[in-house]
Amino acid sequence: MRACELATGLVAAGENWVDAVGAAERALADPGCRASAPCVSKALGALVCAGELVVADAHSIALLDESPGDRAMAEHVLLVRAQVARRTGDLARCAALLEALRDNGSEDEIRPEVLFWSVELLAALGEPRAAGAVLRGYGGSGALLLAAEAVVAMASGRPEDALTGHLAFGQATGVANPAVLPWRSWASRAALACGDTGQARRLAAEEHAAACRWGEPRALGSSLAAVAACSSGGEALVAYERAIRLLELAHARAELAHVLCDYADHLTAQGKQAAEIYGRARATALDIGHDALVRRCGIVRGDGPALTPVETEVARLVRAGLANREVAARLAMATRTVELHLTRVYRKLGLSGRRELRTLRTHRGASDGFPA
């Protein structure tokens, strides 16, 4: 078996990442592999999944220098560099690389991956409409399309569709290794949003067990965060703290910022002080240029424009999950009036819409902001 095939097989099985790295390195030392875009792609992909991001990026740069004018090689390598950037939290570079691949018409072999990671990044950045536009422009089929549709559904406030899509992807592909695609963690969060705590816990536990078999810190941290999200009390606190340490070890800044904010939310719900954790989350989000997460972590301060009592109540009910017509019935006002109040809330708080409002944390007092 060729070294690149061995590396790919070990990654797919989700076991023995040390041997996977060794096989990938042997493949990349072989001139025959270095001349083949598919072989290079498999070997570099194994390094990325094993968390060897610096090594993967160094090989990528060297391969681009060695193969001037080889478009296929360039596209495979640029996709790997985009994945490295995504996993290290360099979101601007990831977005630029993926956009270049889309604009230049990437090869059919990697086009589904370019589509998926483009959609995933836009959704993670709080831009579900842009993610949906990329998805609609694809016009293809396949398992990654199922995953992309599920990501957009979750970002658009449709957790039922997201859960169905992620489970369909898992069934269609049998992906075991969360370092390849953490579909169980995503499905767990969708199940939790649907109110199915039992399924959420089961999926998160399966994901964490798979991450333990693989052993890479980023996958372990992300899976523990999913476990924490559907846990309570001391169990959740321990899981969040372990997840944060692992994500720091992996230098997974984007995931770390999200988990810090989730942890702070959990502490707040338990009546504990969380200002320092929100501050760390916000600093990390600022560092990676994640504006939506910055706002969620508490960019709204007491010196900003205050909401009126009616705007505060409308916003509170929307954050509780009520639709506009339900808010209107609760407050005895027209639906159009609710919409006008919401528009003012979004403008005052610098939000793009309902999704950001529902995840926002605020440091205002109770008289001019939301209850914690």
Side-chain angles (χ1 to χ4, degrees):
M1 180 185 294
R2 290 196 307 168
C4 72
E5 300 293 348
L6 175 59
T8 301
L10 290 169
V11 170
E15 299 178 358
N16 203 338
W17 69 270
V18 174
D19 284 357
V21 169
E25 290 280 27
R26 290 196 301 276
L28 291 168
D30 179 359
C33 182
R34 292 183 79 87
S36 166
C39 185
V40 160
S41 184
K42 291 174 182 177
L44 290 177
L47 290 176
V48 169
C49 289
E52 297 293 330
L53 304 179
V54 174
V55 176
D57 210 37
H59 277 299
S60 299
I61 293 170
L63 285 159
L64 289 174
D65 290 340
E66 291 172 18
S67 308
D70 187 336
R71 178 178 173 179
M73 179 67 74
E75 289 186 352
H76 280 78
V77 169
L78 288 177
L79 177 57
V80 170
R81 298 201 74 199
Q83 292 172 324
V84 169
R86 176 68 178 90
R87 292 180 185 229
T88 57
D90 192 346
L91 304 184
R93 185 161 74 99
C94 180
L97 290 168
L98 291 172
E99 185 176 359
L101 285 167
R102 294 198 310 273
D103 290 347
N104 294 333
S106 52
E107 279 197 320
D108 289 344
E109 187 175 359
I110 65 170
R111 192 163 171 252
E113 290 184 69
V114 172
L115 162 84
F116 174 78
W117 291 113
S118 297
V119 167
E120 189 275 336
L121 178 63
L122 289 167
L125 288 171
E127 301 179 27
R129 290 184 181 178
V134 170
L135 183 60
R136 288 191 296 274
Y138 175 63
S141 60
L144 276 176
L145 183 63
L146 291 174
E149 289 172 340
V151 166
V152 171
M154 190 66 181
S156 303
R158 295 183 283 111
E160 296 88 354
D161 293 339
L163 178 59
T164 299
H166 286 311
L167 293 177
F169 170 83
Q171 185 175 16
T173 63
V175 169
N177 190 344
V180 176
L181 204 72
W183 65 269
R184 294 183 199 84
S185 288
W186 293 341
S188 174
R189 293 181 184 275
L192 196 61
C194 293
D196 191 343
T197 306
Q199 186 172 28
R201 287 176 177 165
R202 177 182 61 78
L203 287 163
E206 290 175 0
E207 184 85 316
H208 184 53
C212 288
R213 288 193 295 272
W214 182 237
E216 188 268 323
R218 180 178 182 271
L220 278 166
S222 295
S223 67
L224 271 171
V227 170
C230 51
S231 301
S232 59
E235 180 185 356
L237 293 176
V238 170
Y240 273 126
E241 289 165 2
R242 289 180 59 202
I244 288 166
R245 288 196 295 272
L246 286 161
L247 293 172
E248 287 174 336
L249 177 65
H251 303 289
R253 295 182 297 166
E255 289 81 0
L256 176 61
H258 275 285
V259 174
L260 282 167
C261 202
D262 287 345
Y263 180 40
D265 283 349
H266 180 81
L267 289 173
T268 300
Q270 298 296 310
K272 302 178 185 294
Q273 292 295 320
E276 180 183 352
I277 306 299
Y278 279 124
R280 287 175 58 192
R282 183 172 181 266
T284 306
L286 280 168
D287 186 47
I288 63 177
H290 197 319
D291 294 340
L293 192 55
V294 169
R295 289 193 290 271
R296 180 189 163 196
C297 293
I299 198 170
V300 181
R301 303 287 179 176
D303 56 359
L307 303 183
T308 68
V310 175
E311 289 166 355
T312 298
E313 185 63 9
V314 167
R316 186 185 69 79
L317 292 172
V318 168
R319 293 179 78 232
L322 275 66
N324 287 359
R325 64 180 181 279
E326 295 171 318
V327 175
R330 183 77 62 87
L331 300 180
M333 62 176 62
T335 302
R336 176 58 179 161
T337 304
V338 171
E339 293 168 357
L340 291 172
H341 283 305
L342 272 178
T343 298
R344 296 190 190 101
V345 169
Y346 298 151
R347 184 176 65 250
K348 287 181 177 182
L349 301 186
L351 306 177
S352 63
R354 181 180 297 263
R355 182 170 179 270
E356 286 188 10
L357 175 62
R358 291 184 64 180
T359 58
L360 182 69
R361 301 302 307 179
T362 179
H363 299 291
R364 294 176 181 275
S367 62
D368 62 349
F370 311 123

